[in-house]
């Protein structure tokens, strides 16, 4: 019997961007929150963005995938990470959500935060507006022209030196689960695309629903040990078999059967062509699995790692019981080519899917 799970790594590539005009950035210090899809009560914070630029700018929000098969394309969804098209597919699983948007402005020197507007977006392609401008732009001749002071008051004088009333504007995003969904346990994802005058941004989100084991009397877990977002500068430092990035830990245990673990880069278990990809570009990486038997680079789907058997003895006053436990554990690491340092890749979020296939015997 086979059990397949997916492990995802997302990288944020940050390159130099202009320091003028309208800008929208993902606030990495605020992080994102994995949406709990086990509950449909209330709304949950999932991410925060930072805006600087002119007021009155309309920002569009679209769901660019993955979209569930057979459902309306103008909705927002979290879709199962193992998604396989087909209405009867066991992995055509999804949850429709709405997105709540709260816009806040932060004053220049006092740091005072004020709620400017709130909205709920129901359909992919809906827009919301930035009510006023924000930024650190200074007037060229304060005292001779009107401007804002640090508290956002409009006037003329040496203290009225700011072009905008706020230093920056935060956009807090909340996911609101609806009653529309077709869920099983597992990991779900939603990729959002923000666009406005002079900027665009792709935001990957993740949701989870508690799942029961698909194999009775088996325990198989994958723990991510790398941040959900990893700066590109950290990845390019990991450029050899011995100098690799530790991304995950795998553990398998069973008192019934042994098993073999293998890896693939696609759902059909036919390739090990591992790549980090975005809508703009992609680049390859190497995958390494290290167990008690040493480290091995994954170069073929047929290469498997088998469990080892340990005897556990229970001694009671009237009997002694010996059972066999089949165990396999190890670390997953990745590294990139040294020449990647020389390449100039476009700004974007790059992600990869690594398939773990457990075959029991």
């Amino acid at each position: 019997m086979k059990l397949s799970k997916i492990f995802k790594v997302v990288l944020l590539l940050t390159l130099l961007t202009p320091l003028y005009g309208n800008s929208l950035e993902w606030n990495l210090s605020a992080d994102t929150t994995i949406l709990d899809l086990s509950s449909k009560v209330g709304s949950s914070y999932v991410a925060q963005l930072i805006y600087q630029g002119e007021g009155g700018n309309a920002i569009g929000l679209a769901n660019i995938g993955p979209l569930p098969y057979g459902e309306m394309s103008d909705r927002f969804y979290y879709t199962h990470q193992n998604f396989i098209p087909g209405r009867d597919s066991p992995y055509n699983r999804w949850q429709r959500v709405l997105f709540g948007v709260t816009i806040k402005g932060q004053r220049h020197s006092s740091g005072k935060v004020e709620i400017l507007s709130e909205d709920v977006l129901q359909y992919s392609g809906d827009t919301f507006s930035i009510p006023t401008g924000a930024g650190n732009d200074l007037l060229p001749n304060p005292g001779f022209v009107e401007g804002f002071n640090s508290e956002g008051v409009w006037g003329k004088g040496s203290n009225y030196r700011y072009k905008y009333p706020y230093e920056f504007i935060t956009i807090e995003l909340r996911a609101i689960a609806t009653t529309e969904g077709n869920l099983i346990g597992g990991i779900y994802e939603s990729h959002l695309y923000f666009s406005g005058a002079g900027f665009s941004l792709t935001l990957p989100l993740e949701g989870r629903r508690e799942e029961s084991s698909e194999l009775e009397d088996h325990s198989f877990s994958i723990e991510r040990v790398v941040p959900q977002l990893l700066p590109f500068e950290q990845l390019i430092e990991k450029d050899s078999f011995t100098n690799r990035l530790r991304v995950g830990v795998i553990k398998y245990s069973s008192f019934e059967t042994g098993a073999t673990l293998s890896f693939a880069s696609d759902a059909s278990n036919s390739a090990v062509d591992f790549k980090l990809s975005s809508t703009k570009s992609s680049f390859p990486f190497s995958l390494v699995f290290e167990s008690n038997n040493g480290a091995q680079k994954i170069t073929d789907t047929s290469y498997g790692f088998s469990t080892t058997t340990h005897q556990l003895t229970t001694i009671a006053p009237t009997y002694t019981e010996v059972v066999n436990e089949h165990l396999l554990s190890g670390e997953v690491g990745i590294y990139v080519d040294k020449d990647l340092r020389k390449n100039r890749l476009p700004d974007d979020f790059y992600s990869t899917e690594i398939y773990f296939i457990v075959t029991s015997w």
Side-chain angles (χ1 to χ4, degrees), residues 13-245:
L13 300 194
T14 53
L15 303 178
L16 294 177
T17 55
L19 299 178
Y20 54 85
N22 301 324
S23 68
L24 184 68
E25 298 179 352
W26 185 356
N27 185 5
L28 295 178
S29 63
D31 207 353
T32 58
T33 299
I34 297 174
L35 180 63
D36 181 7
L37 294 173
S38 301
S39 173
K40 295 186 178 181
V41 179
S43 62
S44 300
Y45 163 86
V46 290
Q48 185 185 85
L49 309 176
I50 295 178
Y51 174 85
Q52 288 185 315
E54 298 292 337
N57 199 348
I59 299 178
L61 179 59
N63 193 176
I64 59 174
L67 298 176
Y69 178 84
E71 304 302 324
M72 301 292 290
S73 61
D74 63 344
R75 308 291 198 267
F76 295 112
Y77 300 99
Y78 277 78
T79 304
H80 200 286
Q81 205 174 65
N82 282 359
F83 173 67
I84 300 174
R87 181 168 293 279
D88 298 325
S89 165
Y91 289 113
N92 184 34
R93 304 294 182 148
W94 51 273
Q95 171 66 56
R96 185 191 172 195
V97 298
L98 313 179
F99 282 107
V101 176
T102 301
I103 298 177
K104 300 179 181 179
Q106 178 165 311
R107 297 296 185 187
H108 288 278
S109 60
S110 67
K112 181 181 179 181
V113 177
E114 300 170 347
I115 295 178
L116 304 179
S117 65
E118 294 184 287
D119 204 350
V120 175
L121 308 184
Q122 301 186 51
Y123 301 100
S124 178
D126 280 355
T127 62
F128 60 94
S129 295
I130 301 298
T132 188
N136 291 313
D137 305 53
L138 300 177
L139 298 175
N141 298 299
F144 296 95
V145 295
E146 290 183 306
F148 294 96
N149 66 10
S150 61
E151 294 301 321
V153 178
W154 181 258
K156 182 186 290 188
S158 60
N159 291 330
Y160 297 87
R161 61 185 186 272
Y162 294 106
K163 179 180 179 180
Y164 301 112
Y166 296 97
E167 180 180 3
F168 60 84
I169 285 175
T170 61
I171 302 169
E172 292 187 358
L173 199 66
R174 307 181 318 277
I176 307 168
T178 71
T179 57
E180 300 175 48
N182 179 24
L183 295 171
I184 58 173
I187 301 174
Y188 291 73
E189 59 184 324
S190 180
H191 290 198
L192 302 180
Y193 182 74
F194 295 81
S195 59
F199 62 83
S200 63
L201 173 71
T202 301
L203 179 67
L205 298 176
E206 184 175 305
R208 291 178 184 267
R209 182 179 174 86
E210 185 177 348
E211 62 179 328
S212 58
S213 176
E214 297 180 49
L215 294 178
E216 296 182 0
D217 301 316
H218 292 64
S219 172
F220 178 41
S221 65
I222 304 171
E223 178 188 359
R224 181 171 59 199
V225 296
V226 70
Q228 184 179 4
L229 288 174
L230 182 72
F232 181 62
E233 290 75 14
Q234 293 183 22
L235 178 66
I236 59 176
E237 297 296 327
K238 305 300 181 178
D239 56 8
S240 69
F241 181 85
T242 56
N243 177 31
R244 57 185 181 270
L245 177 68

Side-chain angles (χ1 to χ4, degrees), residues 319-333:
Y319 69 92
T320 298
E321 182 181 12
V322 178
V323 296
N324 291 327
E325 183 179 14
H326 306 278
L327 298 173
L328 175 63
S329 63
E331 295 182 352
V332 180

Side-chain angles (χ1 to χ4, degrees), residues 259-263 289 296 298 300-306 328 357:
T260 299
L261 171 68
S262 58
F263 299 84
F289 181 66
Q296 175 68 42
I298 307 303
D300 194 285
T301 57
S302 63
Y303 194 93
F305 301 86
S306 297
L328 175 63
I357 298 92

